[in-house]
Amino acid sequence: MEKFFASCPRGLESLLVEDLTAVGVMDSQAIPGGVHFSAEWPACYAANLHSRIATRILWRVAHGRYAKEDDIYKLALDTAWPSWFAAGQTIRVDVTAVKSPLKSLEFITLRIKDAICDRFRADTGKRPSVDTREPDVRMHGFITADECTLYIDTSGAPLYQRGLRQKTVDAPLKENVAAGILRLSGWQPGTPLLDPMCGSGTFLLEAAQMALCIAPGAGRDFGFQRLKNFQLGVWKNLLDKAMDAEKPAANAQIYGSDISPVAVRAALANLDRAGLLPAVTLSTGDVLEIDAPANYGKTNGIMIANPPYGERLSELDELAAFYPLLGSALKRNFAGWNCYFLTADMRLPKLMRLTPSKKTPLFNGAIECRVFEFKMVAGSNRR
């Protein structure tokens, strides 16, 4: 059994536990920002391939207590890095700390990198070089008040980088945050889904992959493939099974619109490049004016949106005028629908004159947000 840590956006830890359980992980422990778990390598590969929520999956290779910087250097020096990758491969080291008394994270990062290179020189006579942009192998150090844990990153590029989205508009949502909100909403493929502020189409891309049973990692490579202990046969078997489970692209009652034609064109290009365009219906339109999509006799559906937050005073004033209009439009055009909004603007429910039936704390990067749920009925929704 190996020990791993899967990181994720704060607020989605319980969904990440579900992802890990689905690939056979029995022993997991959620903490803010991720999940510690023990598993064999096939489960690590499967988690990288199938988890829509994880950001990275890190393999724990060393752990110890420290009092000063030299203790961390020694911990890294005593770790058998040459067993896991070659001196000819490039590396990158990142360090995060919580309540550490040490003065400089940059210095600690340098000491860990030096220790790795010194261990390679001692064992092989050669040392790996550093590539901060696209390294072959990434190492992570996590430091608390008196303990240091060293990890090798099995993911490589962050897992929310599915390799699908090329064109973006301002402030695109990370894919694992979008997938988490879709899951929090309870949306199931077959239920009409609308994103009326779709931007470059992140919600639409995630929903279409879910509807067509496409593994989020099926179109990219991973850090574990560049390690000496990589089991090619195991990986190929997992990937073949994932490919066999995919459904052909067809209308999935997923709808996207945006007031900006530029955004709609970006969403169209991203969906087309991913082969997902047949699953989604796109249009240009103002959320204040559009009607609920035709939904084949059903009266209900799910709306998901990430409205602008407003960072400048003028934007906040514009939003204060926009929200009441949005609330009226939802009551008028979306009776019977459940609507979910991700926002950092805590004024949203009050200004929309709607009472949320649920509010879920969630971090979009470093920004603390809420996912507000509104169950729309005709007329006022206030108690």
Side-chain angles (χ1 to χ4, degrees):
M1 279 284 203
E2 301 291 346
K3 291 185 176 178
F4 299 94
F5 179 71
S7 61
C8 71
R10 278 188 289 164
L12 299 179
E13 295 86 357
S14 62
L15 297 181
L16 179 52
V17 170
E18 288 176 11
D19 280 1
L20 294 171
T21 303
V23 298
V25 171
M26 309 296 285
D27 175 21
S28 63
Q29 179 199 353
I31 63 167
V35 178
H36 289 285
F37 69 99
S38 300
E40 303 293 353
W41 278 102
C44 168
Y45 297 172
N48 274 288
L49 176 62
H50 289 289
S51 177
R52 299 188 191 279
I53 306 299
T55 300
R56 295 183 180 281
I57 294 176
L58 306 175
W59 172 34
R60 178 171 144 171
V61 294
H63 177 80
R65 299 179 73 82
Y66 76 92
K68 54 189 186 296
E69 284 93 343
D70 284 349
D71 298 333
I72 294 175
Y73 170 86
K74 187 170 187 316
L75 179 70
L77 184 69
D78 290 344
T79 303
W81 308 104
S83 303
W84 304 314
F85 60 96
Q89 290 175 289
T90 56
I91 63 169
R92 169 176 171 151
V93 178
D94 290 283
V95 175
T96 51
V98 175
K99 297 180 179 172
S100 170
L102 301 177
K103 296 286 187 289
S104 168
L105 281 191
E106 287 82 5
F107 182 62
I108 290 299
T109 305
L110 191 64
R111 292 294 279 154
I112 293 172
K113 182 207 50 112
D114 287 346
I116 294 166
C117 292
D118 290 348
R119 177 63 188 254
F120 265 96
R121 266 206 210 92
D123 285 16
T124 70
K126 300 173 184 170
R127 53 153 285 176
S129 56
V130 172
D131 180 348
T132 56
R133 290 178 65 83
E134 290 191 17
D136 296 316
V137 185
R138 296 171 185 260
M139 271 71 74
H140 294 261
F142 180 66
I143 300 171
T144 61
D146 58 0
E147 292 181 310
C148 175
T149 309
L150 300 177
Y151 297 95
I152 290 177
D153 188 343
T154 72
S155 301
L159 293 176
Y160 58 76
Q161 293 180 8
R162 319 284 201 222
L164 299 180
R165 193 174 62 184
Q166 293 298 302
K167 295 182 181 294
T168 61
V169 293
D170 290 345
L173 195 61
K174 284 189 169 63
E175 288 83 344
N176 55 347
V177 175
I181 295 167
L182 283 163
R183 293 254 290 274
L184 290 171
S185 78
W187 175 74
Q188 293 291 326
T191 302
L193 177 77
L194 168 68
D195 179 358
M197 307 177 197
C198 70
S200 56
T202 310
F203 279 125
L204 307 176
L205 285 158
E206 290 300 306
Q209 287 179 81
M210 290 163 76
L212 301 176
C213 298
I214 295 170
R220 51 162 285 166
D221 64 356
F222 298 95
F224 61 73
Q225 292 172 270
R226 297 184 283 277
L227 300 179
K228 287 181 177 179
N229 61 2
F230 174 50
Q231 301 166 37
L232 177 60
V234 170
W235 171 240
K236 193 170 180 315
N237 187 38
L238 282 167
L239 200 53
D240 287 346
K241 279 186 182 169
M243 297 295 193
D244 289 345
E246 289 182 12
K247 298 176 182 175
N251 187 325
Q253 294 191 64
I254 299 168
Y255 303 89
S257 65
D258 201 288
I259 197 168
S260 161
V262 173
V264 174
R265 282 198 296 274
L268 190 147
N270 288 331
L271 287 158
D272 189 36
R273 183 178 179 277
L276 299 171
L277 195 54
V280 180
T281 304
L282 280 171
S283 60
T284 304
D286 185 339
V287 65
L288 301 180
E289 295 170 4
I290 61 173
D291 292 318
N295 49 31
Y296 311 105
K298 292 186 180 179
T299 57
N300 65 319
I302 287 181
M303 176 192 288
I304 292 192
N306 175 30
Y309 302 166
E311 291 175 0
R312 295 186 294 275
L313 204 56
S314 60
E315 292 172 331
L316 290 170
D317 290 344
E318 284 173 25
L319 289 171
F322 168 69
Y323 289 145
L325 300 175
L326 178 59
S328 298
L330 295 182
K331 284 184 280 191
R332 187 171 60 247
N333 298 327
F334 289 90
W337 281 57
N338 289 355
C339 301
Y340 298 83
F341 293 96
L342 172 72
T343 183
D345 191 341
M346 303 307 162
R347 307 172 304 162
L348 180 138
K350 189 174 180 182
L351 289 170
M352 282 174 63
R353 303 193 184 100
L354 294 172
T355 304
S357 45
K358 197 184 290 181
K359 45 190 175 186
T360 307
L362 179 59
F363 279 77
N364 183 19
I367 304 169
E368 185 176 356
C369 299
R370 293 290 182 278
V371 179
F372 290 109
E373 174 190 78
F374 301 102
K375 296 192 172 184
M376 301 311 305
V377 293
S380 173
N381 213 26
R382 287 183 80 104
R383 295 198 180 111

